[in-house]
Amino acid sequence: MWFDAIVEIERKFLVPELPQDLERWPATRIEQGYLAIGDDGTEVRVRRRDGHAVLTIKGGGGRSRMEEEFGIEDERFTRLWPLTEGRRLEKTRHVIAAGEGLNIEVDVYAGALTGLSVAEVEFGTEEAADAFEPPAWFGREVTDDARFKNQRLASEGAPAGAGD
Amino acid sequence: MWFDAIVEIERKFLVPELPQDLERWPATRIEQGYLAIGDDGTEVRVRRRDGHAVLTIKGGGGRSRMEEEFGIEDERFTRLWPLTEGRRLEKTRHVIAAGEGLNIEVDVYAGALTGLSVAEVEFGTEEAADAFEPPAWFGREVTDDARFKNQRLASEGAPAGAGD
């Protein structure tokens, strides 16, 4: 077992048109489903990515969230997956090195969310998050738009006008 | 790490008056809190009992529930505990050997739930559950009364008339 506990500081933007060179960056397929989503936004999800399964607990919402991860055996993932029915999503994540130690994660959704793409950037400090200058191909910022949380996308689908 | 995946078959009864000999059975103090409770009743909780911390995921409701447990480090329990605020309970569990391989777990609640006591019996098969004859000191059966689920007790408190 391995684990990781962090407070995430991140900003999230829509990507109306994918950058031309996206395919040259490393990409991984992700499938994830939510076991439970609490009234206060606390979420518990399972995710499989490149054959590795992880259980993640995220508290709260907004730019800083408490996150706790557990690596889990495939067998356990298989048992838990049925509990996520109706709260699942699939996406391909491309990771672009954006200089100054920053990575841009571009999530291109599949299945029921086809057509939606979102870029997330994670920062070490609140100051770095404030100072970040979005590249020209980023669209509207949706960091604080709860409809674009993965837990909401998984259970409710894409909001109208999400391709803007 | 250890784990356990089972389908629980159990019946639950109120205990209006504790049996006289309760103290001679082994007892442990349990504190537990819910990280998230989904709309469909799926719950994710952390529990500490005799110094051992466990994360448990339970699906569905009623007599048979899917359950998946993870042993977790104390450090991780400490980080997760704040996420359970407003959804916690404490109880002392007494385990009574009831013959024929059956154990009766008597949970005597503390804190905000003081005055409530509940007996649970777990069975190997649905047939054994049906055949079970409750002892005279058992009160009303509440197996299917959702208000007596620990997740509801933790977030909403004891229902009116729960001491009956």
Side-chain angles (χ1 to χ4, degrees), chain A residues 53-67:
Chain A
V54 171
L55 173 84
T56 305
I57 298 161
K58 289 195 184 196
R63 281 204 334 194
S64 304
R65 305 185 72 185
M66 190 283 217
E67 183 172 321

PDB file of all heavy atoms in Angstrom, chain A residues 53-67:
ATOM      1  N   ALA A  53      -5.202   0.898  -9.633  1.00  0.00           N
ATOM      2  CA  ALA A  53      -6.467   1.318  -9.040  1.00  0.00           C
ATOM      3  C   ALA A  53      -6.209   2.071  -7.742  1.00  0.00           C
ATOM      4  O   ALA A  53      -5.314   1.723  -6.968  1.00  0.00           O
ATOM      5  CB  ALA A  53      -7.356   0.114  -8.784  1.00  0.00           C
ATOM      6  N   VAL A  54      -6.980   3.112  -7.529  1.00  0.00           N
ATOM      7  CA  VAL A  54      -6.799   3.988  -6.382  1.00  0.00           C
ATOM      8  C   VAL A  54      -8.159   4.353  -5.805  1.00  0.00           C
ATOM      9  O   VAL A  54      -9.113   4.584  -6.554  1.00  0.00           O
ATOM     10  CB  VAL A  54      -6.053   5.286  -6.823  1.00  0.00           C
ATOM     11  CG1 VAL A  54      -6.033   6.307  -5.718  1.00  0.00           C
ATOM     12  CG2 VAL A  54      -4.639   4.963  -7.270  1.00  0.00           C
ATOM     13  N   LEU A  55      -8.240   4.394  -4.501  1.00  0.00           N
ATOM     14  CA  LEU A  55      -9.410   4.923  -3.806  1.00  0.00           C
ATOM     15  C   LEU A  55      -9.014   6.293  -3.265  1.00  0.00           C
ATOM     16  O   LEU A  55      -7.955   6.428  -2.649  1.00  0.00           O
ATOM     17  CB  LEU A  55      -9.791   4.009  -2.639  1.00  0.00           C
ATOM     18  CG  LEU A  55     -10.900   4.506  -1.712  1.00  0.00           C
ATOM     19  CD1 LEU A  55     -12.266   4.159  -2.296  1.00  0.00           C
ATOM     20  CD2 LEU A  55     -10.778   3.914  -0.319  1.00  0.00           C
ATOM     21  N   THR A  56      -9.833   7.297  -3.530  1.00  0.00           N
ATOM     22  CA  THR A  56      -9.489   8.653  -3.103  1.00  0.00           C
ATOM     23  C   THR A  56     -10.636   9.271  -2.318  1.00  0.00           C
ATOM     24  O   THR A  56     -11.797   9.135  -2.693  1.00  0.00           O
ATOM     25  CB  THR A  56      -9.186   9.549  -4.329  1.00  0.00           C
ATOM     26  OG1 THR A  56      -8.169   8.926  -5.103  1.00  0.00           O
ATOM     27  CG2 THR A  56      -8.719  10.933  -3.912  1.00  0.00           C
ATOM     28  N   ILE A  57     -10.284   9.939  -1.240  1.00  0.00           N
ATOM     29  CA  ILE A  57     -11.254  10.685  -0.444  1.00  0.00           C
ATOM     30  C   ILE A  57     -10.877  12.151  -0.546  1.00  0.00           C
ATOM     31  O   ILE A  57      -9.741  12.521  -0.280  1.00  0.00           O
ATOM     32  CB  ILE A  57     -11.222  10.220   1.024  1.00  0.00           C
ATOM     33  CG1 ILE A  57     -11.617   8.746   1.084  1.00  0.00           C
ATOM     34  CG2 ILE A  57     -12.140  11.077   1.893  1.00  0.00           C
ATOM     35  CD1 ILE A  57     -11.212   8.052   2.350  1.00  0.00           C
ATOM     36  N   LYS A  58     -11.826  12.974  -1.000  1.00  0.00           N
ATOM     37  CA  LYS A  58     -11.564  14.411  -1.096  1.00  0.00           C
ATOM     38  C   LYS A  58     -12.577  15.151  -0.246  1.00  0.00           C
ATOM     39  O   LYS A  58     -13.777  14.887  -0.320  1.00  0.00           O
ATOM     40  CB  LYS A  58     -11.708  14.903  -2.535  1.00  0.00           C
ATOM     41  CG  LYS A  58     -10.620  14.459  -3.472  1.00  0.00           C
ATOM     42  CD  LYS A  58     -10.667  15.302  -4.747  1.00  0.00           C
ATOM     43  CE  LYS A  58      -9.655  14.822  -5.766  1.00  0.00           C
ATOM     44  NZ  LYS A  58      -9.432  15.847  -6.832  1.00  0.00           N
ATOM     45  N   GLY A  59     -12.081  16.061   0.539  1.00  0.00           N
ATOM     46  CA  GLY A  59     -12.980  16.869   1.368  1.00  0.00           C
ATOM     47  C   GLY A  59     -13.239  18.217   0.728  1.00  0.00           C
ATOM     48  O   GLY A  59     -12.470  18.660  -0.122  1.00  0.00           O
ATOM     49  N   GLY A  60     -14.300  18.866   1.156  1.00  0.00           N
ATOM     50  CA  GLY A  60     -14.590  20.260   0.800  1.00  0.00           C
ATOM     51  C   GLY A  60     -14.627  20.542  -0.678  1.00  0.00           C
ATOM     52  O   GLY A  60     -14.908  19.664  -1.484  1.00  0.00           O
ATOM     53  N   GLY A  61     -14.335  21.765  -1.058  1.00  0.00           N
ATOM     54  CA  GLY A  61     -14.376  22.153  -2.470  1.00  0.00           C
ATOM     55  C   GLY A  61     -13.506  23.371  -2.696  1.00  0.00           C
ATOM     56  O   GLY A  61     -12.727  23.739  -1.832  1.00  0.00           O
ATOM     57  N   GLY A  62     -13.602  23.971  -3.886  1.00  0.00           N
ATOM     58  CA  GLY A  62     -12.861  25.189  -4.183  1.00  0.00           C
ATOM     59  C   GLY A  62     -11.415  24.929  -4.574  1.00  0.00           C
ATOM     60  O   GLY A  62     -11.066  23.829  -4.983  1.00  0.00           O
ATOM     61  N   ARG A  63     -10.561  25.917  -4.406  1.00  0.00           N
ATOM     62  CA  ARG A  63      -9.187  25.816  -4.885  1.00  0.00           C
ATOM     63  C   ARG A  63      -8.316  24.914  -4.011  1.00  0.00           C
ATOM     64  O   ARG A  63      -7.376  24.304  -4.507  1.00  0.00           O
ATOM     65  CB  ARG A  63      -8.539  27.206  -4.976  1.00  0.00           C
ATOM     66  CG  ARG A  63      -8.973  27.933  -6.216  1.00  0.00           C
ATOM     67  CD  ARG A  63      -8.052  29.009  -6.733  1.00  0.00           C
ATOM     68  NE  ARG A  63      -7.172  29.674  -5.825  1.00  0.00           N
ATOM     69  CZ  ARG A  63      -6.531  30.801  -6.143  1.00  0.00           C
ATOM     70  NH1 ARG A  63      -6.733  31.373  -7.322  1.00  0.00           N
ATOM     71  NH2 ARG A  63      -5.712  31.352  -5.300  1.00  0.00           N
ATOM     72  N   SER A  64      -8.600  24.834  -2.723  1.00  0.00           N
ATOM     73  CA  SER A  64      -7.807  23.985  -1.819  1.00  0.00           C
ATOM     74  C   SER A  64      -8.684  22.876  -1.260  1.00  0.00           C
ATOM     75  O   SER A  64      -9.682  23.139  -0.621  1.00  0.00           O
ATOM     76  CB  SER A  64      -7.252  24.793  -0.644  1.00  0.00           C
ATOM     77  OG  SER A  64      -6.509  25.887  -1.114  1.00  0.00           O
ATOM     78  N   ARG A  65      -8.292  21.638  -1.491  1.00  0.00           N
ATOM     79  CA  ARG A  65      -9.074  20.514  -1.001  1.00  0.00           C
ATOM     80  C   ARG A  65      -8.166  19.505  -0.327  1.00  0.00           C
ATOM     81  O   ARG A  65      -7.099  19.210  -0.822  1.00  0.00           O
ATOM     82  CB  ARG A  65      -9.774  19.799  -2.164  1.00  0.00           C
ATOM     83  CG  ARG A  65     -10.628  20.682  -3.012  1.00  0.00           C
ATOM     84  CD  ARG A  65     -11.374  19.860  -4.043  1.00  0.00           C
ATOM     85  NE  ARG A  65     -12.424  19.070  -3.416  1.00  0.00           N
ATOM     86  CZ  ARG A  65     -13.162  18.182  -4.071  1.00  0.00           C
ATOM     87  NH1 ARG A  65     -12.929  17.942  -5.347  1.00  0.00           N
ATOM     88  NH2 ARG A  65     -14.113  17.522  -3.456  1.00  0.00           N
ATOM     89  N   MET A  66      -8.628  18.957   0.770  1.00  0.00           N
ATOM     90  CA  MET A  66      -7.904  17.867   1.417  1.00  0.00           C
ATOM     91  C   MET A  66      -8.107  16.612   0.585  1.00  0.00           C
ATOM     92  O   MET A  66      -9.205  16.343   0.122  1.00  0.00           O
ATOM     93  CB  MET A  66      -8.466  17.683   2.826  1.00  0.00           C
ATOM     94  CG  MET A  66      -7.644  16.756   3.690  1.00  0.00           C
ATOM     95  SD  MET A  66      -7.903  15.011   3.303  1.00  0.00           S
ATOM     96  CE  MET A  66      -7.833  14.312   4.935  1.00  0.00           C
ATOM     97  N   GLU A  67      -7.037  15.872   0.387  1.00  0.00           N
ATOM     98  CA  GLU A  67      -7.130  14.667  -0.429  1.00  0.00           C
ATOM     99  C   GLU A  67      -6.334  13.537   0.209  1.00  0.00           C
ATOM    100  O   GLU A  67      -5.220  13.754   0.684  1.00  0.00           O
ATOM    101  CB  GLU A  67      -6.575  14.965  -1.825  1.00  0.00           C
ATOM    102  CG  GLU A  67      -6.698  13.803  -2.775  1.00  0.00           C
ATOM    103  CD  GLU A  67      -6.329  14.169  -4.210  1.00  0.00           C
ATOM    104  OE1 GLU A  67      -6.666  15.272  -4.663  1.00  0.00           O
ATOM    105  OE2 GLU A  67      -5.663  13.344  -4.858  1.00  0.00           O
TER     106      GLU A  67
END
